Amino acid sequence: MLENMLKFQDQMWQSIGETFVMVGISVGAAVLLGLPLGTLLYFCRKGQLYENRALSLTLNSIVNVVRSFPFLLLVVALIPFTRLLVGTAIGTMAATVPLSIIAIAYYSRLVEQSLLEVPKGTVEAALAMGASKLGLIFKFLYVEARSGLVLGLTAATISFISFSTVMGVVGGGGVGDFAIRYGYQRFETAVMVYAILVMIVLVQMIQFTGSTLARLLDKR
């Protein structure tokens, strides 16, 4: 094991860097676009403040379709769009496109669920105090749901790492691709174990950080 770690350390560090790029961009997309999308899903639901049946049905349909799409097939189906967006369909940056799309849909649903756990009395109290729309969202809803939002993002990030393991199909690289190319295809069991251990450490670090932050933010 130690011999393989030394032999492939350069390739492993490169793979870890590629995984960080893919997951980092997808997490950024989840926060920047998935968070507002999930908030919109929450407000458009039946019985909520800005109930809109048509918009709710449209957004829910899009999110459900993206989330239910087999990820590998989604990657292949998005190749023309990826090429249009980043100029190529191969490489780490190209791999971030389907990852970001699934990240937005995945996290938006988690955001909606977290906001639904906020007591309705909080919204009513905010409106009674004359809170604006943005004030209601940022000063009340997000504050009350902050622990759930962090836990949701933590779970989503771990899922994105799992999704990134198949991005070798478009030359995206990453730890999963390293395990397949240098371990599975070469029948190097020790290299496979090495890559798996690296993935386990990454996931445990993310889970510990997210759980700790959520616990600190939870004032209930």
Side-chain angles (χ1 to χ4, degrees):
M1 175 68 72
L2 180 60
E3 180 183 349
N4 282 300
M5 289 175 65
L6 294 174
K7 180 180 178 182
F8 295 106
Q9 63 176 334
D10 292 338
Q11 293 91 335
M12 174 54 79
W13 280 114
Q14 180 181 349
S15 298
I16 292 174
E18 292 166 346
T19 296
F20 280 165
V21 169
M22 289 187 290
V23 175
I25 292 177
S26 62
V27 169
V31 174
L32 293 176
L33 298 176
L35 181 61
L37 177 58
T39 305
L40 187 58
L41 285 169
Y42 164 77
F43 276 123
C44 291
R45 287 176 63 96
K46 182 178 180 180
Q48 295 300 332
L49 188 60
Y50 303 110
E51 179 182 339
N52 187 318
R53 181 179 176 82
L55 183 58
S56 178
L57 180 61
T58 301
L59 292 178
N60 273 288
S61 298
I62 294 173
V63 169
N64 289 337
V65 168
V66 173
R67 291 185 64 211
S68 61
F69 218 100
F71 183 64
L72 187 57
L73 295 181
L74 180 66
V75 172
V76 175
L78 286 175
I79 285 178
F81 176 71
T82 300
R83 186 179 291 112
L84 177 65
L85 194 64
V86 298
T88 179
I90 298 177
T92 302
M93 290 306 298
T96 64
V97 175
L99 268 175
S100 296
I101 290 176
I102 195 69
I104 293 168
Y106 191 91
Y107 188 54
S108 66
R109 189 63 75 193
L110 295 177
V111 169
E112 180 191 19
Q113 293 171 358
S114 295
L115 295 180
L116 286 171
E117 294 177 359
V118 176
K120 285 191 174 182
T122 300
V123 177
E124 294 171 355
L127 294 175
M129 288 186 287
S132 64
K133 294 179 181 179
L134 290 178
L136 171 62
I137 294 171
F138 288 99
K139 295 182 179 180
F140 292 90
L141 283 176
Y142 287 171
V143 171
E144 288 293 319
R146 59 188 183 275
S147 179
L149 292 174
V150 170
L151 285 175
L153 185 60
T154 301
T157 302
I158 292 172
S159 296
F160 304 157
I161 292 177
S162 177
F163 290 144
S164 73
T165 60
V166 302
M167 295 314 299
V169 71
V170 291
V175 179
D177 184 52
F178 171 88
I180 293 174
R181 287 192 292 119
Y182 293 98
Y184 176 75
Q185 292 180 350
R186 298 186 181 190
F187 302 100
E188 293 278 2
T189 304
V191 176
M192 285 281 291
V193 174
Y194 174 32
I196 291 170
L197 289 175
V198 170
M199 294 291 284
I200 290 174
V201 170
L202 288 176
V203 168
Q204 292 301 318
M205 288 173 59
I206 293 171
Q207 185 64 63
F208 175 78
T209 303
S211 298
T212 302
L213 182 57
R215 185 171 63 252
L216 293 174
L217 291 173
D218 190 357
K219 302 301 181 181
R220 291 175 293 180

